[in-house]
Amino acid sequence: MAQTIYVLNGPNMNLLGTREPEKYGRATLADVEKLCRATAERFGLALEFRQSNSEGELVDWIQEAHANKAAGLVINPAGYTTTSVAILDALLAAQLPAIEIHITNIHQRESFRQNSYVSKAAKAVICGFGIDGYALAIRGLAGLLGIKEKH
Ligand code: DHK
């Protein structure tokens, strides 16, 4: 049976495409999902793709990923990156390889965006590649899991 990875998106990511397009681009969250599905498929990985504006729901999904024995997780915690001890604790408890991703280069932006709690539990961090960062994150995760591209 295929291994499953979760791709989780935090608050306001549902607005991709119309939200500050000069920073986040014109691609929508549906486009991001399509990209993630195509990339996961190349590695024979099943994908759970989710977005929530609620911190607790994101915590529930990280716990779910652990309970369902997911192989790993990609997370764009968005506005919760620098505030959520709860998401950090959920990731530490889940003990899944987690990749943190940001569409923008957070180090080029306001300093408050740069102190990530999530990074303390992440295997790797990707930022600044636009939505391509999601594909890079899935590739990197597959590499960590020792899974080769199928075709
Ligand atoms: C998305 C957000 O919503 C912001 O709160 C982060 C991140 C940056 C991104 O670049 O994907 O600061």
Side-chain angles (χ1 to χ4, degrees):
M1 216 175 80
Q3 297 192 77
T4 301
I5 61 166
Y6 279 59
V7 176
L8 303 181
N9 294 278
N12 300 305
M13 300 307 291
N14 53 315
L15 301 178
L16 268 188
T18 55
R19 168 197 190 197
E20 300 184 90
E22 68 288 355
K23 294 192 184 95
Y24 294 100
R26 299 244 171 232
T28 64
L29 192 65
D31 295 328
V32 176
E33 179 170 0
K34 212 189 279 178
L35 174 64
C36 288
R37 291 208 178 281
T39 311
E41 208 250 326
R42 262 186 229 129
F43 291 92
L45 290 163
L47 177 73
E48 286 292 335
F49 187 93
R50 314 250 177 100
Q51 186 276 330
S52 178
N53 293 329
S54 306
E55 185 176 17
E57 195 160 34
L58 291 162
V59 168
D60 287 344
W61 290 340
I62 294 164
Q63 292 184 6
E64 177 191 305
H66 173 67
N68 289 347
K69 299 190 178 3
L73 188 148
V74 173
I75 183 165
N76 184 343
Y80 290 131
T81 306
T82 54
T83 63
S84 184
V85 175
I87 290 175
L88 167 62
D89 285 345
L91 289 169
L92 291 172
Q95 295 212 310
L96 292 167
I99 313 294
E100 175 182 350
I101 186 244
H102 304 281
I103 289 176
T104 61
N105 180 353
I106 52 173
H107 302 290
Q108 219 168 51
R109 300 183 64 189
E110 303 95 323
S111 56
F112 66 80
R113 295 187 191 277
Q114 292 160 23
N115 191 17
S116 168
Y117 281 111
V118 171
S119 290
K120 304 218 173 294
K123 271 271 184 202
V125 183
I126 291 175
C127 74
F129 284 104
I131 71 163
D132 286 348
Y134 284 84
L136 294 170
I138 293 172
R139 282 182 172 277
L141 186 55
L144 287 174
L145 296 169
I147 299 171
K148 293 209 174 4
E149 201 164 343
K150 308 280 181 226
H151 48 82

